[in-house]
Amino acid sequence: MAKGIPPVSLLAIPLDASSSAPLFRQLYDGLRGSILAGSLKPGGRLPASRTLAVDLGVSRNTVTTAYDQLLAEGYLEGKVGAGTYVTRTLPEDALLVRRGKAGGGDLGGQPGRLSRRGALLATTPAWVVRGTADPKPFRPGVPAMDTLPLDDWAALSARRWRRSTGNVLGYGEPAGYRPLREAIAAHLGTARGVVCEAGQVVIVAGTQQAIDLATRLLLDPGDPAWIEDPGFVGARGAVVGAGARPVPVPVDGEGMIVSAGVARCPEARLAYVTPSHQYPLGVAMTLARRLELLCWAHRAGAWILEDDYDSEFRYIGRPLASLQGLDRQGRVVYMGTFSKVLFPALRLSYLVAPPALVDAFVSALALAGGPPPLHTQAVLADFFAEGHFHRHIRRMRSLYAERQETLVCAAKAELCGLLDVVPSETGLQVMGWLADGIDDRAASRWAEAAGVVAPPLSSYTLEPMSRQGLLLGYAAHSTRQIREGVRRLAAALHRGVNSV
Protein backbone atom coordinates (compact mmCIF):
# COMPACT_ATOMS: atom_id res chain seq x y z
CA MET A 1 0.00 0.00 0.00
CA ALA A 2 1.44 3.36 -1.00
CA LYS A 3 2.14 5.91 1.67
CA GLY A 4 1.10 8.62 -0.74
CA ILE A 5 -2.62 7.82 -0.42
CA PRO A 6 -4.19 10.72 1.51
CA PRO A 7 -6.07 9.66 4.67
CA VAL A 8 -9.85 9.85 4.66
CA SER A 9 -11.64 12.37 6.85
CA LEU A 10 -13.34 10.92 9.92
CA LEU A 11 -14.62 14.14 11.46
CA ALA A 12 -18.21 13.17 10.62
CA ILE A 13 -18.19 10.32 13.17
CA PRO A 14 -20.31 11.55 16.10
CA LEU A 15 -18.93 11.14 19.64
CA ASP A 16 -20.99 11.93 22.72
CA ALA A 17 -19.01 12.38 25.95
CA SER A 18 -22.26 12.24 27.96
CA SER A 19 -23.19 8.79 26.64
CA SER A 20 -22.86 5.73 28.87
CA ALA A 21 -20.93 4.02 26.05
CA PRO A 22 -17.14 4.60 26.27
CA LEU A 23 -15.71 6.91 23.63
CA PHE A 24 -13.53 4.16 22.15
CA ARG A 25 -16.68 2.06 21.68
CA GLN A 26 -18.50 4.91 19.95
CA LEU A 27 -15.52 5.43 17.64
CA TYR A 28 -15.28 1.69 16.93
CA ASP A 29 -18.99 1.54 16.07
CA GLY A 30 -18.71 4.59 13.81
CA LEU A 31 -15.69 3.23 11.92
CA ARG A 32 -17.15 -0.24 11.56
CA GLY A 33 -20.48 1.17 10.39
CA SER A 34 -18.73 3.35 7.79
CA ILE A 35 -16.77 0.35 6.52
CA LEU A 36 -19.90 -1.80 6.23
CA ALA A 37 -21.84 1.01 4.56
CA GLY A 38 -19.06 1.45 2.02
CA SER A 39 -18.31 5.09 2.88
CA LEU A 40 -14.84 3.92 3.96
CA LYS A 41 -13.58 2.14 0.86
CA PRO A 42 -11.34 -0.96 0.87
CA GLY A 43 -7.72 0.20 0.78
CA GLY A 44 -8.57 3.65 2.16
CA ARG A 45 -5.97 5.04 4.56
CA LEU A 46 -7.07 6.17 8.01
CA PRO A 47 -5.52 9.14 9.80
CA ALA A 48 -2.70 8.47 12.26
CA SER A 49 -4.03 7.85 15.77
CA ARG A 50 -2.40 11.00 17.12
CA THR A 51 -3.87 13.14 14.34
CA LEU A 52 -7.36 11.70 14.70
CA ALA A 53 -7.25 12.14 18.48
CA VAL A 54 -6.52 15.84 18.02
CA ASP A 55 -9.21 16.21 15.34
CA LEU A 56 -11.89 14.55 17.48
CA GLY A 57 -10.78 16.07 20.77
CA VAL A 58 -10.23 12.71 22.49
CA SER A 59 -7.24 10.91 23.98
CA ARG A 60 -4.92 8.99 21.71
CA ASN A 61 -5.64 5.88 23.80
CA THR A 62 -9.31 6.13 22.74
CA VAL A 63 -8.30 6.04 19.08
CA THR A 64 -5.70 3.27 19.42
CA THR A 65 -8.16 1.07 21.35
CA ALA A 66 -10.76 1.43 18.57
CA TYR A 67 -8.15 0.85 15.86
CA ASP A 68 -6.72 -2.21 17.64
CA GLN A 69 -10.16 -3.81 17.97
CA LEU A 70 -10.85 -3.29 14.25
CA LEU A 71 -7.39 -4.62 13.39
CA ALA A 72 -8.03 -7.72 15.50
CA GLU A 73 -11.39 -8.32 13.80
CA GLY A 74 -9.97 -7.93 10.31
CA TYR A 75 -11.62 -4.65 9.28
CA LEU A 76 -8.32 -2.78 9.22
CA GLU A 77 -4.79 -3.75 8.36
CA GLY A 78 -1.40 -2.14 8.51
CA LYS A 79 2.04 -2.15 10.05
CA VAL A 80 3.92 0.17 12.38
CA GLY A 81 5.22 3.10 10.37
CA ALA A 82 3.27 2.17 7.24
CA GLY A 83 -0.16 3.50 8.15
CA THR A 84 -3.54 1.93 8.86
CA TYR A 85 -5.91 0.97 6.03
CA VAL A 86 -9.35 -0.49 5.49
CA THR A 87 -8.74 -4.11 4.58
CA ARG A 88 -9.25 -5.03 0.94
CA THR A 89 -10.89 -8.33 1.92
CA LEU A 90 -13.56 -7.79 4.54
CA PRO A 91 -14.37 -10.47 7.16
CA GLU A 92 -17.17 -12.82 6.16
CA ASP A 93 -19.56 -11.33 8.72
CA ALA A 94 -19.00 -7.88 7.21
CA LEU A 95 -19.80 -9.20 3.77
CA LEU A 96 -23.03 -10.73 5.08
CA VAL A 97 -24.05 -7.44 6.66
CA ARG A 98 -23.27 -5.57 3.45
CA ARG A 99 -25.29 -8.03 1.36
CA GLY A 100 -28.20 -7.66 3.78
CA LYS A 101 -28.18 -3.89 3.41
CA ALA A 102 -27.87 -4.12 -0.35
CA GLY A 103 -30.90 -6.40 -0.45
CA GLY A 104 -33.19 -3.99 1.31
CA GLY A 105 -31.89 -3.17 4.76
CA ASP A 106 -32.49 -5.02 8.01
CA LEU A 107 -31.18 -8.56 8.33
CA GLY A 108 -34.44 -9.49 10.04
CA GLY A 109 -34.52 -13.17 10.88
CA GLN A 110 -31.53 -14.20 8.81
CA PRO A 111 -29.28 -16.81 10.43
CA GLY A 112 -26.48 -15.40 12.60
CA ARG A 113 -28.29 -12.30 13.81
CA LEU A 114 -27.29 -11.33 17.35
CA SER A 115 -29.26 -9.46 19.97
CA ARG A 116 -28.09 -5.93 20.76
CA ARG A 117 -26.47 -7.18 23.94
CA GLY A 118 -25.01 -10.16 22.08
CA ALA A 119 -23.43 -7.90 19.48
CA LEU A 120 -21.92 -5.76 22.23
CA LEU A 121 -20.70 -8.81 24.12
CA ALA A 122 -19.16 -10.34 20.99
CA THR A 123 -17.00 -7.26 20.45
CA THR A 124 -16.08 -6.59 24.09
CA PRO A 125 -12.48 -7.62 24.91
CA ALA A 126 -12.36 -10.68 27.17
CA TRP A 127 -8.59 -11.11 27.17
CA VAL A 128 -5.43 -9.27 26.25
CA VAL A 129 -3.34 -12.33 25.32
CA ARG A 130 -4.94 -15.44 23.87
CA GLY A 131 -3.85 -18.79 25.27
CA THR A 132 -1.31 -21.00 23.55
CA ALA A 133 -0.12 -24.52 24.27
CA ASP A 134 3.46 -23.31 24.75
CA PRO A 135 3.37 -19.78 26.21
CA LYS A 136 6.23 -17.51 25.18
CA PRO A 137 8.08 -15.28 27.62
CA PHE A 138 6.65 -13.12 29.19
CA ARG A 139 2.99 -14.04 29.00
CA PRO A 140 1.40 -13.01 32.32
CA GLY A 141 -0.84 -15.11 34.52
CA VAL A 142 0.60 -18.51 33.61
CA PRO A 143 1.97 -20.72 36.42
CA ALA A 144 4.97 -23.03 36.18
CA MET A 145 3.94 -26.31 34.59
CA ASP A 146 7.43 -27.77 34.35
CA THR A 147 7.48 -28.46 38.10
CA LEU A 148 3.94 -29.71 38.71
CA PRO A 149 3.61 -32.85 40.89
CA LEU A 150 2.04 -34.69 37.98
CA ASP A 151 2.99 -38.15 39.24
CA ASP A 152 1.11 -37.51 42.47
CA TRP A 153 -1.87 -36.10 40.57
CA ALA A 154 -1.90 -39.03 38.13
CA ALA A 155 -1.75 -41.55 40.99
CA LEU A 156 -4.64 -39.90 42.80
CA SER A 157 -6.67 -39.73 39.59
CA ALA A 158 -6.04 -43.39 38.75
CA ARG A 159 -6.97 -44.43 42.28
CA ARG A 160 -10.22 -42.48 42.03
CA TRP A 161 -11.11 -44.22 38.75
CA ARG A 162 -10.29 -47.66 40.18
CA ARG A 163 -12.51 -47.00 43.18
CA SER A 164 -15.23 -45.20 41.28
CA THR A 165 -18.67 -45.52 42.76
CA GLY A 166 -21.91 -43.70 42.17
CA ASN A 167 -20.81 -40.83 44.39
CA VAL A 168 -18.23 -39.60 41.84
CA LEU A 169 -19.89 -40.79 38.63
CA GLY A 170 -23.12 -38.88 38.99
CA TYR A 171 -23.94 -35.18 39.00
CA GLY A 172 -23.02 -34.67 42.63
CA GLU A 173 -24.12 -31.82 44.88
CA PRO A 174 -25.22 -28.70 42.99
CA ALA A 175 -22.67 -26.52 44.84
CA GLY A 176 -19.79 -28.96 44.28
CA TYR A 177 -18.09 -31.93 45.94
CA ARG A 178 -18.57 -31.55 49.67
CA PRO A 179 -15.10 -32.78 50.82
CA LEU A 180 -13.45 -30.29 48.44
CA ARG A 181 -15.62 -27.44 49.71
CA GLU A 182 -14.65 -28.37 53.26
CA ALA A 183 -10.95 -28.41 52.34
CA ILE A 184 -11.24 -25.01 50.64
CA ALA A 185 -13.08 -23.47 53.59
CA ALA A 186 -10.41 -24.75 56.01
CA HIS A 187 -7.58 -23.50 53.80
CA LEU A 188 -9.13 -20.05 53.34
CA GLY A 189 -9.76 -19.66 57.05
CA THR A 190 -6.13 -20.27 58.01
CA ALA A 191 -4.27 -18.87 54.98
CA ARG A 192 -6.47 -15.97 53.85
CA GLY A 193 -8.50 -14.94 56.89
CA VAL A 194 -11.76 -15.70 55.09
CA VAL A 195 -14.67 -16.18 57.46
CA CYS A 196 -16.86 -18.92 56.02
CA GLU A 197 -18.29 -22.40 56.33
CA ALA A 198 -18.14 -25.11 53.70
CA GLY A 199 -21.79 -24.45 52.88
CA GLN A 200 -20.86 -20.99 51.54
CA VAL A 201 -18.29 -22.39 49.08
CA VAL A 202 -19.53 -22.91 45.52
CA ILE A 203 -17.29 -24.71 42.99
CA VAL A 204 -17.25 -23.18 39.50
CA ALA A 205 -15.45 -23.71 36.18
CA GLY A 206 -12.99 -20.83 36.35
CA THR A 207 -12.96 -17.34 37.83
CA GLN A 208 -14.59 -15.93 34.72
CA GLN A 209 -17.65 -18.07 35.39
CA ALA A 210 -17.72 -16.83 38.99
CA ILE A 211 -17.61 -13.20 37.87
CA ASP A 212 -20.22 -13.85 35.19
CA LEU A 213 -22.60 -15.49 37.67
CA ALA A 214 -22.12 -12.69 40.18
CA THR A 215 -22.71 -9.86 37.72
CA ARG A 216 -25.83 -11.49 36.29
CA LEU A 217 -27.22 -12.19 39.75
CA LEU A 218 -26.42 -8.83 41.33
CA LEU A 219 -26.82 -6.32 38.48
CA ASP A 220 -29.84 -5.24 36.45
CA PRO A 221 -29.43 -3.96 32.88
CA GLY A 222 -28.20 -0.38 33.01
CA ASP A 223 -26.86 -0.61 36.58
CA PRO A 224 -23.47 1.06 37.10
CA ALA A 225 -20.59 -1.07 38.41
CA TRP A 226 -17.16 0.08 39.53
CA ILE A 227 -14.20 -1.64 37.88
CA GLU A 228 -10.53 -0.98 38.52
CA ASP A 229 -8.81 1.05 35.81
CA PRO A 230 -6.45 -0.40 34.77
CA GLY A 231 -7.97 -3.75 35.53
CA PHE A 232 -8.90 -7.26 34.46
CA VAL A 233 -10.65 -7.05 31.08
CA GLY A 234 -12.62 -10.22 31.80
CA ALA A 235 -14.41 -8.44 34.65
CA ARG A 236 -15.25 -5.54 32.38
CA GLY A 237 -16.62 -8.01 29.83
CA ALA A 238 -18.78 -9.72 32.45
CA VAL A 239 -20.29 -6.38 33.48
CA VAL A 240 -21.09 -5.61 29.85
CA GLY A 241 -22.47 -9.13 29.40
CA ALA A 242 -24.89 -8.51 32.25
CA GLY A 243 -26.15 -5.43 30.42
CA ALA A 244 -24.68 -3.17 33.11
CA ARG A 245 -22.48 -0.10 32.75
CA PRO A 246 -18.77 -0.28 33.66
CA VAL A 247 -17.56 2.76 35.64
CA PRO A 248 -13.75 2.99 35.54
CA VAL A 249 -12.22 3.88 38.91
CA PRO A 250 -8.50 4.78 38.96
CA VAL A 251 -5.90 2.89 40.99
CA ASP A 252 -2.88 4.33 42.81
CA GLY A 253 -0.25 2.91 45.14
CA GLU A 254 -2.92 2.13 47.77
CA GLY A 255 -5.32 0.33 45.44
CA MET A 256 -8.67 1.43 44.04
CA ILE A 257 -9.29 5.12 44.85
CA VAL A 258 -12.65 4.74 46.57
CA SER A 259 -13.20 8.49 46.82
CA ALA A 260 -12.87 8.73 43.02
CA GLY A 261 -15.51 6.04 42.61
CA VAL A 262 -17.85 7.86 44.98
CA ALA A 263 -17.29 11.13 43.11
CA ARG A 264 -18.00 9.49 39.75
CA CYS A 265 -20.88 7.21 40.65
CA PRO A 266 -21.90 6.92 44.31
CA GLU A 267 -24.97 4.87 43.38
CA ALA A 268 -22.99 2.01 41.79
CA ARG A 269 -24.49 -1.39 42.58
CA LEU A 270 -21.24 -3.37 42.58
CA ALA A 271 -17.45 -2.96 42.76
CA TYR A 272 -14.96 -5.46 41.31
CA VAL A 273 -11.55 -5.34 43.02
CA THR A 274 -8.30 -7.33 43.29
CA PRO A 275 -7.21 -5.97 46.70
CA SER A 276 -4.44 -8.41 47.63
CA HIS A 277 -2.53 -8.04 44.35
CA GLN A 278 -4.10 -5.53 41.97
CA TYR A 279 -4.19 -6.70 38.37
CA PRO A 280 -2.20 -5.55 36.48
CA LEU A 281 -0.33 -2.94 38.58
CA GLY A 282 0.53 -5.33 41.41
CA VAL A 283 -0.20 -3.00 44.36
CA ALA A 284 -1.98 -4.12 47.53
CA MET A 285 -5.00 -2.23 48.82
CA THR A 286 -4.25 -0.60 52.15
CA LEU A 287 -6.33 -1.28 55.24
CA ALA A 288 -7.70 2.27 55.18
CA ARG A 289 -8.92 1.82 51.59
CA ARG A 290 -10.43 -1.58 52.39
CA LEU A 291 -12.42 -0.14 55.27
CA GLU A 292 -13.44 2.82 53.11
CA LEU A 293 -14.69 0.45 50.39
CA LEU A 294 -16.65 -1.64 52.88
CA CYS A 295 -18.22 1.48 54.40
CA TRP A 296 -19.31 2.66 50.95
CA ALA A 297 -20.80 -0.75 50.10
CA HIS A 298 -22.76 -0.83 53.36
CA ARG A 299 -23.97 2.74 52.91
CA ALA A 300 -24.92 2.27 49.24
CA GLY A 301 -26.33 -1.24 49.61
CA ALA A 302 -23.79 -2.35 47.00
CA TRP A 303 -21.89 -5.61 46.51
CA ILE A 304 -18.13 -6.17 46.32
CA LEU A 305 -16.53 -8.88 44.17
CA GLU A 306 -13.12 -9.72 45.67
CA ASP A 307 -10.94 -11.57 43.14
CA ASP A 308 -8.07 -13.17 45.06
CA TYR A 309 -6.48 -14.80 42.04
CA ASP A 310 -2.84 -15.44 43.05
CA SER A 311 -2.18 -14.29 46.61
CA GLU A 312 -1.00 -17.76 47.71
CA PHE A 313 2.30 -16.73 46.15
CA ARG A 314 3.43 -14.02 48.52
CA TYR A 315 7.20 -13.99 48.96
CA ILE A 316 7.57 -11.65 51.94
CA GLY A 317 5.72 -12.52 55.13
CA ARG A 318 2.31 -14.14 55.32
CA PRO A 319 -0.38 -13.63 52.65
CA LEU A 320 -2.48 -10.53 53.27
CA ALA A 321 -5.80 -11.06 55.01
CA SER A 322 -8.80 -10.97 52.71
CA LEU A 323 -11.23 -8.10 52.34
CA GLN A 324 -13.99 -10.62 53.01
CA GLY A 325 -12.59 -11.27 56.47
CA LEU A 326 -13.20 -7.62 57.38
CA ASP A 327 -16.79 -7.64 56.10
CA ARG A 328 -19.40 -7.61 58.84
CA GLN A 329 -22.40 -6.79 56.65
CA GLY A 330 -22.33 -9.69 54.17
CA ARG A 331 -21.52 -7.46 51.17
CA VAL A 332 -18.45 -9.34 49.79
CA VAL A 333 -18.41 -12.23 47.32
CA TYR A 334 -14.93 -13.76 47.53
CA MET A 335 -13.39 -15.63 44.56
CA GLY A 336 -10.28 -17.77 44.13
CA THR A 337 -8.86 -20.15 41.55
CA PHE A 338 -6.72 -23.24 41.16
CA SER A 339 -5.79 -22.27 37.58
CA LYS A 340 -2.91 -20.15 38.90
CA VAL A 341 -2.01 -22.43 41.81
CA LEU A 342 -1.92 -25.66 39.77
CA PHE A 343 -2.61 -25.44 36.02
CA PRO A 344 -5.08 -23.55 33.79
CA ALA A 345 -6.55 -26.64 32.12
CA LEU A 346 -7.96 -27.70 35.50
CA ARG A 347 -10.73 -25.10 34.98
CA LEU A 348 -11.63 -25.23 38.64
CA SER A 349 -12.30 -22.20 40.83
CA TYR A 350 -14.59 -21.29 43.69
CA LEU A 351 -16.54 -18.47 45.22
CA VAL A 352 -17.54 -17.83 48.80
CA ALA A 353 -21.01 -16.30 48.90
CA PRO A 354 -22.57 -14.43 51.82
CA PRO A 355 -25.10 -16.76 53.48
CA ALA A 356 -28.04 -14.82 52.05
CA LEU A 357 -26.80 -15.39 48.47
CA VAL A 358 -25.76 -19.06 48.58
CA ASP A 359 -29.04 -20.49 47.24
CA ALA A 360 -29.16 -17.90 44.45
CA PHE A 361 -25.61 -18.73 43.32
CA VAL A 362 -26.28 -22.47 43.38
CA SER A 363 -29.42 -22.03 41.29
CA ALA A 364 -27.63 -19.79 38.81
CA LEU A 365 -24.76 -22.27 38.57
CA ALA A 366 -27.21 -25.08 37.77
CA LEU A 367 -28.61 -23.05 34.88
CA ALA A 368 -25.06 -22.35 33.66
CA GLY A 369 -24.19 -26.06 33.46
CA GLY A 370 -23.32 -26.94 37.04
CA PRO A 371 -19.94 -27.43 38.72
CA PRO A 372 -16.86 -28.89 36.96
CA PRO A 373 -16.54 -32.70 36.53
CA LEU A 374 -17.02 -34.47 39.84
CA HIS A 375 -14.01 -36.75 39.33
CA THR A 376 -11.69 -33.75 39.02
CA GLN A 377 -13.14 -32.23 42.18
CA ALA A 378 -12.61 -35.49 44.05
CA VAL A 379 -8.98 -35.76 42.91
CA LEU A 380 -8.33 -32.21 44.09
CA ALA A 381 -9.93 -32.99 47.44
CA ASP A 382 -7.52 -35.94 47.79
CA PHE A 383 -4.66 -33.65 46.74
CA PHE A 384 -5.57 -31.44 49.72
CA ALA A 385 -6.16 -34.30 52.15
CA GLU A 386 -2.78 -35.95 51.52
CA GLY A 387 -0.78 -32.74 51.91
CA HIS A 388 0.27 -32.32 48.27
CA PHE A 389 -1.43 -28.94 47.88
CA HIS A 390 0.38 -27.13 50.67
CA ARG A 391 3.74 -28.71 49.79
CA HIS A 392 3.28 -27.52 46.21
CA ILE A 393 2.49 -23.97 47.38
CA ARG A 394 5.66 -23.85 49.48
CA ARG A 395 7.82 -25.08 46.58
CA MET A 396 6.28 -22.63 44.14
CA ARG A 397 6.79 -19.64 46.42
CA SER A 398 10.51 -20.31 46.47
CA LEU A 399 10.70 -21.01 42.74
CA TYR A 400 8.68 -17.93 41.73
CA ALA A 401 10.73 -15.66 44.00
CA GLU A 402 13.88 -16.92 42.26
CA ARG A 403 12.40 -16.44 38.78
CA GLN A 404 11.20 -12.93 39.59
CA GLU A 405 14.63 -11.98 40.90
CA THR A 406 16.18 -13.31 37.69
CA LEU A 407 13.85 -11.16 35.61
CA VAL A 408 14.43 -8.00 37.65
CA CYS A 409 18.22 -8.40 37.61
CA ALA A 410 18.34 -9.20 33.88
CA ALA A 411 16.13 -6.19 33.14
CA LYS A 412 18.44 -3.87 35.11
CA ALA A 413 21.38 -5.10 33.06
CA GLU A 414 19.74 -5.19 29.61
CA LEU A 415 16.85 -2.70 29.67
CA CYS A 416 18.29 0.26 31.56
CA GLY A 417 16.87 3.50 30.16
CA LEU A 418 14.12 1.66 28.27
CA LEU A 419 12.08 -0.31 30.78
CA ASP A 420 12.10 -0.09 34.56
CA VAL A 421 10.94 -3.46 35.93
CA VAL A 422 9.52 -3.11 39.44
CA PRO A 423 9.68 -6.14 41.77
CA SER A 424 6.50 -7.36 43.43
CA GLU A 425 5.94 -9.12 46.75
CA THR A 426 3.24 -11.38 45.30
CA GLY A 427 2.13 -13.16 42.17
CA LEU A 428 3.20 -14.36 38.76
CA GLN A 429 4.00 -11.11 36.91
CA VAL A 430 5.52 -7.66 37.35
CA MET A 431 5.07 -4.25 35.74
CA GLY A 432 7.74 -2.74 33.55
CA TRP A 433 7.47 1.04 33.15
CA LEU A 434 8.58 2.40 29.79
CA ALA A 435 10.78 5.44 29.40
CA ASP A 436 9.01 8.67 28.50
CA GLY A 437 8.07 8.91 24.85
CA ILE A 438 7.79 5.16 24.18
CA ASP A 439 4.26 4.07 23.23
CA ASP A 440 3.41 0.83 25.02
CA ARG A 441 1.30 -0.59 22.17
CA ALA A 442 4.14 -0.02 19.73
CA ALA A 443 6.60 -1.52 22.23
CA SER A 444 4.38 -4.58 22.61
CA ARG A 445 4.27 -5.05 18.83
CA TRP A 446 8.06 -4.74 18.61
CA ALA A 447 8.38 -7.38 21.32
CA GLU A 448 5.92 -9.71 19.60
CA ALA A 449 7.92 -9.51 16.38
CA ALA A 450 10.93 -10.70 18.41
CA GLY A 451 9.04 -13.66 19.87
CA VAL A 452 8.29 -12.04 23.23
CA VAL A 453 4.81 -11.55 24.72
CA ALA A 454 4.62 -8.28 26.68
CA PRO A 455 1.05 -6.92 26.84
CA PRO A 456 0.79 -3.11 26.94
CA LEU A 457 -0.66 -1.53 30.06
CA SER A 458 -3.02 0.53 27.91
CA SER A 459 -4.79 -2.70 26.87
CA TYR A 460 -6.08 -2.96 30.43
CA THR A 461 -7.35 0.63 30.68
CA LEU A 462 -10.46 2.55 29.70
CA GLU A 463 -8.90 5.94 30.42
CA PRO A 464 -5.38 7.11 29.56
CA MET A 465 -2.66 6.84 32.21
CA SER A 466 0.19 9.24 32.85
CA ARG A 467 2.73 6.40 32.45
CA GLN A 468 2.90 3.57 29.96
CA GLY A 469 4.28 0.12 30.52
CA LEU A 470 4.44 -3.57 29.72
CA LEU A 471 3.22 -6.47 31.85
CA LEU A 472 5.79 -9.26 32.18
CA GLY A 473 5.02 -12.76 33.47
CA TYR A 474 7.89 -14.87 34.77
CA ALA A 475 6.38 -17.87 36.57
CA ALA A 476 6.14 -20.25 33.60
CA HIS A 477 9.72 -19.79 32.39
CA SER A 478 13.09 -21.10 33.51
CA THR A 479 15.86 -18.69 34.46
CA ARG A 480 17.55 -19.42 31.13
CA GLN A 481 14.36 -18.62 29.19
CA ILE A 482 13.89 -15.43 31.22
CA ARG A 483 17.41 -14.16 30.49
CA GLU A 484 17.06 -14.96 26.79
CA GLY A 485 13.62 -13.31 26.70
CA VAL A 486 15.02 -10.15 28.27
CA ARG A 487 17.81 -10.03 25.67
CA ARG A 488 15.28 -10.35 22.84
CA LEU A 489 13.03 -7.73 24.41
CA ALA A 490 15.94 -5.31 24.84
CA ALA A 491 17.00 -5.77 21.21
CA ALA A 492 13.41 -5.26 20.02
CA LEU A 493 12.94 -2.05 22.04
CA HIS A 494 16.28 -0.64 20.88
CA ARG A 495 15.38 -1.34 17.25
CA GLY A 496 11.91 0.09 17.64
CA VAL A 497 13.01 3.29 19.39
CA ASN A 498 15.74 3.89 16.82
CA SER A 499 13.30 3.42 13.93
CA VAL A 500 10.79 6.01 15.16
Side-chain angles (χ1 to χ4, degrees):
M1 296 179 184
K3 289 187 178 181
I5 300 174
V8 297
S9 174
L10 300 177
L11 291 177
I13 293 179
L15 299 179
D16 181 5
S18 65
S19 170
S20 61
L23 290 175
F24 81 87
R25 180 71 204 183
Q26 296 180 48
L27 180 57
Y28 162 88
D29 288 338
L31 289 170
R32 183 175 179 272
S34 296
I35 292 171
L36 295 178
S39 54
L40 285 180
K41 304 295 184 184
R45 182 158 69 93
L46 273 62
S49 59
R50 195 183 305 276
T51 301
L52 183 57
V54 172
D55 290 344
L56 297 178
V58 298
S59 72
R60 188 184 181 197
N61 189 51
T62 294
V63 178
T64 56
T65 300
Y67 276 13
D68 285 350
Q69 184 66 29
L70 291 162
L71 282 162
E73 294 175 7
Y75 294 97
L76 301 180
E77 58 188 12
K79 296 181 179 180
V80 177
T84 303
Y85 300 80
V86 178
T87 185
R88 294 188 183 277
T89 304
L90 287 173
E92 181 63 24
D93 61 331
L95 295 174
L96 288 172
V97 171
R98 180 170 288 179
R99 291 189 196 110
K101 288 189 176 180
D106 199 305
L107 284 175
Q110 288 202 16
R113 183 178 182 271
L114 297 174
S115 67
R116 285 190 295 272
R117 187 188 299 181
L120 180 61
L121 187 59
T123 55
T124 297
W127 49 71
V128 172
V129 182
R130 288 179 181 267
T132 58
D134 184 21
K136 300 176 182 178
F138 296 100
R139 185 186 170 200
V142 182
M145 286 175 277
D146 56 336
T147 56
L148 286 170
L150 293 179
D151 290 342
D152 295 327
W153 184 271
L156 294 173
S157 180
R159 188 177 71 190
R160 273 288 171 181
W161 282 126
R162 287 196 302 271
R163 300 177 181 177
S164 289
T165 59
N167 66 335
V168 294
L169 294 178
Y171 289 109
E173 293 187 55
Y177 187 56
R178 182 75 187 194
L180 177 58
R181 294 159 64 204
E182 291 172 348
I184 291 171
H187 166 67
L188 294 178
T190 57
R192 303 295 302 113
V194 172
V195 180
C196 72
E197 299 177 352
Q200 294 172 247
V201 178
V202 181
I203 308 298
V204 295
T207 299
Q208 190 64 41
Q209 185 182 49
I211 301 173
D212 182 65
L213 288 174
T215 52
R216 286 192 286 130
L217 275 174
L218 304 177
L219 294 171
D220 285 319
D223 278 349
W226 291 358
I227 58 170
E228 297 170 319
D229 194 35
F232 177 45
V233 296
R236 185 198 318 167
V239 170
V240 172
R245 175 168 61 90
V247 177
V249 180
V251 176
D252 64 11
E254 298 183 47
M256 175 183 273
I257 306 175
V258 178
S259 59
V262 172
R264 292 183 178 197
C265 187
E267 73 280 8
R269 302 300 305 147
L270 179 147
Y272 168 86
V273 290
T274 51
S276 294
H277 187 222
Q278 201 278 332
Y279 192 85
L281 296 183
V283 301
M285 182 179 278
T286 62
L287 177 60
R289 287 275 176 88
R290 292 171 186 238
L291 295 175
E292 187 181 5
L293 182 61
L294 288 168
C295 286
W296 164 78
H298 175 52
R299 187 171 62 249
W303 302 99
I304 299 171
L305 302 188
E306 179 181 9
D307 187 352
D308 200 12
Y309 63 98
D310 69 357
S311 60
E312 284 89 356
F313 303 122
R314 184 169 175 82
Y315 314 125
I316 300 175
R318 288 177 56 80
L320 299 176
S322 66
L323 179 67
Q324 190 268 4
L326 299 171
D327 179 23
R328 297 294 178 267
Q329 305 297 329
R331 311 307 305 178
V332 176
V333 177
Y334 177 91
M335 299 175 290
T337 182
F338 295 104
S339 294
K340 302 292 189 293
V341 178
L342 292 171
F343 50 95
L346 193 60
R347 304 303 303 145
L348 203 155
S349 300
Y350 55 88
L351 62 85
V352 177
L357 294 182
V358 171
D359 289 344
F361 269 104
V362 174
S363 296
L365 178 61
L367 293 174
L374 190 52
H375 176 267
T376 304
Q377 296 183 62
V379 173
L380 182 54
D382 295 341
F383 198 74
F384 265 100
E386 299 191 11
H388 300 298
F389 180 82
H390 291 99
R391 284 194 295 272
H392 178 66
I393 293 293
R394 289 194 294 272
R395 286 196 300 267
M396 292 301 98
R397 282 180 187 150
S398 176
L399 178 66
Y400 292 163
E402 176 189 357
R403 290 182 173 182
Q404 185 190 125
E405 184 178 8
T406 299
L407 174 57
V408 172
C409 291
K412 285 182 179 178
E414 302 279 350
L415 292 164
C416 184
L418 291 172
L419 190 72
D420 179 20
V421 176
V422 180
S424 175
E425 297 179 351
T426 308
L428 312 178
Q429 59 273 323
V430 291
M431 274 303 307
W433 296 103
L434 287 161
D436 290 344
I438 303 179
D439 179 80
D440 62 0
R441 290 180 182 270
S444 181
R445 290 192 293 267
W446 300 335
E448 185 176 8
V452 175
V453 175
L457 177 60
S458 56
S459 293
Y460 299 92
T461 64
L462 282 175
E463 297 180 339
M465 294 191 65
S466 58
R467 299 183 70 185
Q468 298 200 21
L470 302 174
L471 188 60
L472 306 175
Y474 52 82
H477 312 293
S478 68
T479 54
R480 180 190 61 79
Q481 290 171 324
I482 290 170
R483 293 190 185 99
E484 175 59 27
V486 169
R487 283 193 287 270
R488 293 205 303 268
L489 178 59
L493 293 182
H494 277 294
R495 284 195 301 270
V497 169
N498 291 334
S499 68
V500 174

